[in-house]
Amino acid sequence: MDYKILLMIFATVFIAELGDKTQLATLLFAADKEVNKWTVFVGASLALIATSAIGVLAGSFISDHISAKHLHYIAGVGFILIGGWTLIKA
């Protein structure tokens, strides 16, 4: 296992997830006094694992058909479009 890559991926996803709507939704579920906090933690963790698995599988499939260079351009344009759309909607 390449620990440098592992740490980079962990840091990137960790920073990206801080304060996003998923974390806020988890916070709201945990704020309910009648809900077991371990249930919230396990449910949120399983959801993140499942979405990450989908991302890895999709990335593996797509990389078989599109070069990494083109994927970076597509991702960059996608982020710019999402950012623009977010600014327009704000």
Side-chain angles (χ1 to χ4, degrees):
M1 179 179 297
D2 187 340
Y3 291 104
K4 183 177 177 182
I5 298 293
L6 176 68
L7 182 60
M8 181 183 66
I9 293 168
F10 174 83
T12 302
V13 173
F14 183 81
I15 291 168
E17 291 296 323
L18 282 177
D20 78 341
K21 62 184 178 250
T22 304
Q23 186 182 31
L24 296 175
T26 303
L27 180 145
L28 292 174
F29 283 122
D32 186 342
K33 293 189 186 317
E34 296 178 14
V35 174
N36 183 299
K37 305 318 178 221
W38 283 107
T39 303
V40 174
F41 175 75
V42 171
S45 297
L46 290 173
L48 186 56
I49 289 169
T51 57
S52 296
I54 291 168
V56 169
L57 291 173
S60 295
F61 176 77
I62 291 171
S63 69
D64 289 340
H65 304 287
I66 301 174
S67 73
K69 182 179 178 180
H70 288 107
L71 283 175
H72 285 129
Y73 286 133
I74 292 167
V77 169
F79 278 116
I80 290 169
L81 291 174
I82 291 169
W85 180 71
T86 302
L87 287 173
I88 290 169
K89 291 290 185 178

